[in-house]
Amino acid sequence: MTGPQTADGRLIAGRYRLLSSSGERGLGTIWQAFDEALDREVVLDEIVLPQRLSRARRAEVRAGLLRAARLASRLEHPAAAKVHDVLEEQGQIWVISEQVPGHPLAELLGEGPLPPRMAAEIGGELLGALVAAHAIGLLHGDVRPGNVWITDEGRVALTGFGTSGAGQADDIRPLDDAAPEISAGRLPGPPADLFGLGRTLLTAVDPAAAAAAGGLAPENAPTAGLSAGALRAGPGLRGQPGGPLAWLIEGLLRPDPDERMTASRARRHLTAVATGRPFEEVPDEPVPSPPPGAFDPVRPQTHAEPPSKHRRSLVGALVVTVAALGAAIVGWTMLGGGSGAPQAGTTPPPGTTSPKAKPSATPSTDPAADLLHPYRDDSGFEVELPGNDWRHEDVKDEVVFTHKETGSVLRIQTNDDPGALNQLVGGTRQQLDRTLGEGYRQGRVRTVAYRGTRAVDWRFLWTRGDKTYQGSARAVVMGEKEGYVLLWTTADDRWKKDYDQYQSILQSFQPAGKD
């Protein structure tokens, strides 16, 4: 991959101002740009076909781009980055996509592996986007952590639809990272994208083992052939080889696409791990079939008019496939991660466990103010409060604890219909904005691992009269109908003093039903 390029303020199609490049994807360069017509930030993929291709081969690849990009512009799914437009200017193809705010999964993995439950949640959303794409005859072709983005509000978005995929042979690009069927010269179909999903999940739960296996590191790892020995070298596999996701990952990474796990079965596995339900209790929902002939080779229109010098509407994608693993992936399962039936649930990551609080109808009145005092709500959640100087009240769907001396406030909001995590976060932030008014200023937002799943943290400031307060919020969705928001506010001059109390509360919090 080449380094960032400068854009020199180029204007594409009279409206898209190139700002800077942010790397490469598939056959082209990714540009950060600004749409001057609609006043919004966008991403432009500049598709560059290899010069060595013959005229006939270039026409064939362009036909594939045209077909796939038209499909990509029709794809509507919350976990698929939206393709706005595709155009051709002076013979160059450009794909215009949604600018997804946030960070790539590859960056998040730089902080360490994800808990299996969090990885399953992300994998489930990615699978939903892939199933929706396959149902209209569209392949992604480059499913990997670098193309998976997590927004500030917790939305998962798979980028690269409409840009990643005519590379089905080594005259387009090298086959080092192709799915096994492509390396064997077979035409790819939906199983190739499922292989990429399996590779992404393996990288998520055990980046070190994936890197040792070759070609599976979050980004820029050297590609090497996978072997059982390489898998055994992965340090994370010695303790918990993929945990409850190992059975799923082995199924998705089978070399023969005809034997690879289906999307329907993969969805059941991911749902079981993400919700903690037994696999047998998750319904088997059918996956829509793609249109007949959807993944057949695309031939160029021989009677098509030559492109004009002006902008032409196009939509396109190349089938860029993922790293070949080889049959030795089965050996990974035999190390202990995939034997027996798939498991449900997971163990919280280090540092998130706490002693189990004993049920109590109200906070304890123990006079020892330096101890943690358990509280159990009627809805089932539990939390430990530092000290006993807390005033407690129930307000609609939240419990409010106010410290009698410092005035610090802890609010725990419950929601039995939270929707997706980004919906819960968005609704809470709008509520804060309405409630606190002009004095409310939002600060840093980030996605974190919490209780084995994803959570979103954000900081905020707000003023009332001449007083300034600092706050922190954590939103998390547990299972299908358990949404929680923990809000902590304190006077500005007490923020650092009381921050440890807030962290202690976060560590002690137990959602309903977690005995």
Side-chain angles (χ1 to χ4, degrees):
M1 181 177 291
T2 59
Q5 305 175 40
T6 57
D8 299 326
R10 275 193 291 162
L11 194 64
I12 304 300
R15 63 184 284 185
Y16 300 110
R17 181 76 62 183
L18 300 187
L19 303 177
S20 63
S21 75
S22 56
E24 296 178 352
R25 174 164 53 206
L27 294 176
T29 301
I30 307 171
W31 294 95
Q32 304 301 309
F34 189 78
D35 183 351
E36 297 186 348
L38 296 180
D39 192 30
R40 64 182 179 184
E41 294 180 349
V42 292
V43 172
L44 268 66
D45 282 78
E46 180 184 12
I47 307 299
V48 181
L49 299 182
Q51 293 295 322
R52 63 181 179 275
L53 298 182
S54 67
R55 180 177 298 181
R57 182 65 172 129
R58 291 175 71 87
E60 184 179 14
V61 173
R62 283 180 181 276
L65 283 167
L66 174 61
R67 174 191 176 280
R70 283 176 176 160
L71 292 173
S73 68
R74 289 167 41 196
L75 179 61
E76 296 286 348
H77 191 277
K82 178 64 179 173
V83 174
H84 297 310
D85 194 9
V86 177
L87 57 91
E88 186 175 19
E89 185 170 84
Q90 297 181 346
Q92 188 66 57
I93 297 174
W94 299 82
V95 180
I96 296 88
S97 304
E98 168 192 7
Q99 170 70 64
V100 180
H103 305 279
L105 177 61
E107 184 177 311
L108 184 62
L109 295 181
E111 302 175 3
L114 302 184
R117 181 169 184 167
M118 181 176 180
E121 289 181 342
I122 293 173
E125 295 185 44
L126 296 178
L127 181 59
L130 292 174
V131 167
H134 297 163
I136 62 173
L138 174 66
L139 293 179
H140 184 279
D142 196 15
V143 182
R144 57 185 172 87
N147 279 336
V148 178
W149 283 68
I150 313 294
T151 71
D152 291 342
E153 293 186 349
R155 174 193 169 200
V156 175
L158 179 58
T159 64
F161 282 106
T163 67
S164 300
Q168 300 175 13
D170 57 6
D171 65 338
I172 304 298
R173 62 190 299 247
L175 293 177
D176 291 343
D177 59 354
E181 57 267 33
I182 299 177
S183 298
R186 298 173 61 178
L187 193 67
D193 278 345
L194 298 180
F195 187 91
L197 177 62
R199 184 187 74 162
T200 299
L201 289 171
L202 176 59
T203 308
V205 296
D206 204 328
L216 299 176
E219 289 296 303
N220 301 326
T223 299
L226 178 70
S227 67
L231 282 169
R232 292 189 183 96
L237 294 178
R238 296 190 187 111
Q240 287 186 319
L245 286 175
W247 187 268
L248 167 72
I249 293 172
E250 184 276 328
L252 292 175
L253 295 181
R254 289 173 185 165
D256 186 343
D258 295 331
E259 297 180 358
R260 202 164 295 154
M261 184 178 290
T262 64
S264 177
R265 191 166 182 83
R267 182 158 56 189
R268 291 182 69 191
H269 279 272
L270 289 166
T271 301
V273 176
T275 62
R277 295 159 62 188
F279 176 81
E280 295 75 13
E281 294 182 7
V282 179
D284 186 6
E285 300 177 5
V287 170
S289 300
F295 304 108
D296 291 345
V298 179
R299 302 301 177 189
Q301 297 285 340
T302 56
H303 60 274
E305 297 181 1
S308 70
K309 294 182 180 180
H310 303 290
R311 171 179 180 254
R312 290 183 60 192
S313 230
L314 291 181
V315 212
L318 303 176
V319 180
V320 177
T321 46
V322 287
L325 293 185
I329 186 64
V330 178
W332 180 62
T333 311
M334 296 174 64
L335 297 178
S339 57
Q343 306 169 47
T346 184
T347 302
T352 63
T353 57
S354 63
K356 184 67 71 173
K358 296 180 180 179
S360 174
T362 58
S364 168
T365 56
D366 189 326
D370 58 340
L371 298 179
L372 295 177
H373 297 278
Y375 168 87
R376 182 182 177 93
D377 189 67
D378 291 340
S379 66
F381 75 77
E382 301 177 29
V383 69
E384 293 180 339
L385 301 170
N388 62 349
D389 293 328
W390 294 90
R391 184 171 64 253
H392 160 249
E393 59 182 326
D394 292 312
V395 183
K396 202 176 180 181
D397 293 326
E398 68 177 5
V399 180
V400 182
F401 301 96
T402 305
H403 198 277
K404 299 174 183 177
E405 293 184 5
T406 66
S408 297
V409 177
L410 169 68
R411 296 176 179 269
I412 302 178
Q413 300 177 350
T414 59
N415 189 325
D416 60 5
D417 188 20
L421 177 59
N422 62 299
Q423 294 174 312
L424 178 63
V425 173
T428 304
R429 288 165 64 176
Q430 290 176 9
Q431 178 191 31
L432 286 172
D433 192 43
R434 289 194 304 268
T435 303
L436 301 180
E438 295 181 357
Y440 172 69
R441 298 191 299 272
Q442 182 179 289
R444 176 175 56 89
V445 183
R446 64 186 183 128
T447 301
V448 298
Y450 182 63
R451 288 284 176 262
T453 187
R454 275 181 302 147
V456 172
D457 281 1
W458 70 95
R459 293 275 301 276
F460 56 91
L461 289 172
W462 63 289
T463 56
R464 175 176 294 174
D466 59 351
K467 291 186 177 180
T468 300
Y469 300 86
Q470 286 202 50
S472 187
R474 173 165 293 182
V476 62
V477 175
M478 309 292 294
E480 298 178 346
K481 293 187 176 181
E482 297 176 50
Y484 299 95
V485 179
L486 283 74
L487 288 160
W488 173 264
T489 55
T490 189
D492 184 50
D493 59 357
R494 291 200 58 88
W495 176 257
K496 291 184 178 180
K497 300 176 185 176
D498 294 347
Y499 186 72
D500 286 345
Q501 288 188 357
Y502 174 58
Q503 290 300 307
S504 174
I505 289 169
L506 289 179
Q507 298 300 325
S508 72
F509 179 77
Q510 295 284 348
K514 303 300 178 183
D515 296 327

